[in-house]
Amino acid sequence: MFTPVCDIHTHSVASGHGTTDTVTTMAKAAAAKGITLLGLSEHGPATMCSATPSYFRACRNMPRDRFGVRLLYGVECNILDMDGHIDLTEEILGTLDYGIVSLHRKNIRPGTKEQNTEACLKALAHTKIRMLGHPDDPLFPLEYKKLVSFLKEHQQLIELNEASLVPGSYRAGADSYARQLLALCREYEQPIVLSSDSHGAAHIGDFTYGLKLCEEMGFPKHLILNDRVEVLLSMLRC
Ligand SMILES: [Zn+2]
Ligand SMILES: [Zn+2]
């Protein structure tokens, strides 16, 4: 029996789109769904209408525990160019619990497979960055072997993004990319994290399609970290 208790890729109203739910509403929903570790990973400042650097600076004073849910304050930074520049300074990143880096179509034009990969690997080297977000986007093909061996070597995480896999996803076709990635993660013994990428409370802890894919592929449960808070925290270096 696999019981996920962690969701570290979620967005509140502070991300500026998709929801008006506050951190309190999100924490309450997480508690009701049995999630005990909730990571708020608001979009970085380059996303239109998202949180400003001062918001991220203020996160260190936010509550760490609500309704029995441990809260982590992170960021989903935008990768801005092929040199891996991202949209928060090292100083502000240093004040957060962890960071995710992602390629978003509104903030970077897709390059070749090699360029996209290089951008991700460089972005992953920034302070506190621990995970690559939605690496299954068909718009940004990646050299998966290179990526997974890098993550393994540097003890960083990769996610299986639920929003990519739901029917009607705006990353149409992501499932075949996710399959290739899972096969390599299995080969390299690279841990993964199921992420809801929920904008608001509604989908927190919902990993329906991610779990289905893992089960279909016989992906080893010990490589999915969502049921072990302490192991995930140590990978996040929190
Ligand atoms: Zn994203
Ligand atoms: Zn996101």
Side-chain angles (χ1 to χ4, degrees):
M1 180 71 182
F2 178 79
T3 311
V5 291
C6 310
D7 192 356
I8 59 164
H9 185 167
T10 70
H11 300 270
S12 75
V13 63
S15 280
H17 67 266
T19 184
T20 55
D21 288 347
T22 62
V23 171
T24 300
T25 309
M26 306 264 297
K28 202 180 270 183
K33 294 169 186 217
I35 294 294
T36 57
L37 181 71
L38 178 69
L40 282 309
S41 54
E42 310 299 352
H43 283 291
T47 296
M48 207 192 292
C49 304
S50 192
T52 59
S54 60
Y55 172 86
F56 290 104
R57 219 185 272 278
C59 284
R60 68 185 125 185
N61 302 318
M62 309 254 274
R64 314 299 305 184
D65 201 304
R66 302 290 324 262
F67 315 107
V69 177
R70 177 163 173 184
L71 299 175
L72 298 179
Y73 295 92
V75 59
E76 183 183 8
C77 275
N78 288 284
I79 302 175
L80 300 173
D81 56 36
M82 296 305 167
D83 290 324
H85 290 110
I86 57 176
D87 56 348
L88 270 188
T89 63
E90 297 287 301
E91 184 240 324
I92 296 177
L93 281 168
T95 66
L96 295 171
D97 292 320
Y98 68 103
I100 301 170
V101 285
S102 300
L103 292 160
H104 290 122
R105 54 192 78 188
K106 287 193 176 150
N107 294 90
I108 186 168
R109 212 174 286 164
T112 62
K113 213 184 224 192
E114 292 71 24
Q115 287 171 321
N116 297 336
T117 307
E118 203 53 31
C120 290
L121 301 193
K122 284 182 174 159
L124 281 161
H126 289 278
T127 305
K128 293 281 175 91
I129 300 300
R130 307 285 185 245
M131 188 163 91
L132 180 63
H134 41 79
D136 51 17
D137 190 341
L139 192 68
F140 295 98
L142 299 169
E143 297 171 291
Y144 284 153
K145 220 170 203 171
K146 193 168 177 183
L147 173 67
V148 174
S149 68
F150 177 94
L151 294 169
K152 181 75 184 169
E153 187 190 336
H154 294 88
Q155 295 191 304
Q156 283 179 309
L157 294 165
I158 195 159
E159 71 170 2
L160 188 57
N161 187 294
E162 185 72 11
S164 294
L165 299 173
V166 290
S169 153
Y170 54 84
R171 290 189 279 272
D175 58 327
S176 70
Y177 289 75
R179 276 171 203 277
Q180 293 172 43
L181 258 177
L182 285 177
L184 281 166
C185 289
R186 178 170 47 202
E187 186 186 329
Y188 284 75
E189 288 267 309
Q190 164 63 33
I192 67 159
V193 177
L194 303 169
S195 296
S196 68
D197 203 355
S198 184
H199 283 61
H203 301 290
I204 290 173
D206 182 355
F207 310 122
T208 309
Y209 292 93
L211 273 174
K212 204 171 140 210
L213 186 57
C214 287
E215 263 156 36
E216 233 178 86
M217 292 188 62
F219 190 77
K221 289 279 186 335
H222 74 273
L223 292 177
I224 311 175
L225 301 186
N226 298 68
D227 62 341
R228 279 156 292 158
V229 172
E230 293 308 320
V231 177
L232 183 54
L233 285 172
S234 79
M235 286 294 287
L236 292 171
R237 284 159 253 170
C238 285

